[in-house]
Amino acid sequence: YGMTLPSPAALALLLVSPGKGLLTLSPFLLVIPLALRRVPPPARDLAAASCIAIPAFALAIAAIPSYHGGFSFGPRLLIPLLPFVLLLLAPAIDALTPGLFLAFRLALGWSFLNYAGASATLIAVPYDFTWPVGQIVIPWLLAGQTARHGGELVGLPGVAGLLPLAVMLALLLGFALAPGDSDAAPRV
């Protein structure tokens, strides 16, 4: 146990695998490289630190035996990167053309669907499941098998217990996909 050299296979799993890949499950993050030229001067030092911290941390996780994060859905061990990623996300969104902004919104909707589906069903993903959305989430939802949810607290049994999650997902998707001011006037 302990750190070794980062494994290219581990890094690929963390970034692009269907079950745990950060960019596969949250492809809206692909806009971040657009941020580098758009970061306002007061935040450039923080942005530079983020540009170093993000790959360094991902490489460090790819160098440990438990890089996969156990039976979790998604890249659980990359969660500490979120503050660094979010610092770059706002300027990246500001740099998008209307076409890229639409692609960003669709990718954001995809992320909402992935994580809502995982929340609605069993979140523990065995190692031999390479595509948990297709192998667990969709089949379980179609069979009416769900995880316990807050809807049960108010007396909604079974699949009906997912109603609060469905309402939240509908609101998030509506926000992500609804046309807004940014569609009309790009700030490039």
Side-chain angles (χ1 to χ4, degrees), residues 22 32 47 49-60 78 81 83-86 88:
L22 180 65
I32 287 179
S50 293
C51 289
I52 294 168
I54 292 169
F57 190 81
L59 287 169
L78 294 183
L81 285 177
F84 301 103
V85 168
L86 293 177
L88 296 174

Side-chain angles (χ1 to χ4, degrees), residues 42-43 68 75:
H68 46 73

Side-chain angles (χ1 to χ4, degrees), residues 169-186:
L169 178 61
L171 290 171
L172 288 171
L173 286 173
F175 171 75
L177 301 177
D181 293 339
S182 299
D183 293 332

Side-chain angles (χ1 to χ4, degrees), residues 136-167:
I136 297 174
V137 173
I138 294 170
W140 282 33
L141 285 175
L142 292 174
Q145 295 175 311
T146 63
R148 297 193 66 166
H149 280 306
E152 292 177 1
L153 296 174
V154 294
L156 298 171
V159 177
L162 296 175
L163 189 59
L165 179 65
V167 169

Side-chain angles (χ1 to χ4, degrees), residues 68-188:
H68 46 73
F71 288 151
S72 66
F73 180 84
R76 179 174 71 93
L77 297 180
L78 294 183
I79 296 298
L81 285 177
L82 285 178
F84 301 103
V85 168
L86 293 177
L87 180 70
L88 296 174
L89 194 56
I93 293 169
D94 193 46
L96 297 177
T97 63
L100 286 175
F101 191 64
L102 175 61
F104 170 80
R105 291 170 114 160
L106 292 171
L108 189 61
W110 170 257
S111 298
F112 291 154
L113 286 171
N114 272 310
Y115 287 105
S119 295
T121 58
L122 179 68
I123 296 177
V125 179
Y127 296 121
D128 57 341
F129 281 59
T130 55
W131 186 48
V133 171
Q135 293 171 290
I136 297 174
V137 173
I138 294 170
W140 282 33
L141 285 175
L142 292 174
Q145 295 175 311
T146 63
R148 297 193 66 166
H149 280 306
E152 292 177 1
L153 296 174
V154 294
L156 298 171
V159 177
L162 296 175
L163 189 59
L165 179 65
V167 169
M168 181 185 72
L169 178 61
L171 290 171
L172 288 171
L173 286 173
F175 171 75
L177 301 177
D181 293 339
S182 299
D183 293 332
R187 293 167 276 177
V188 182

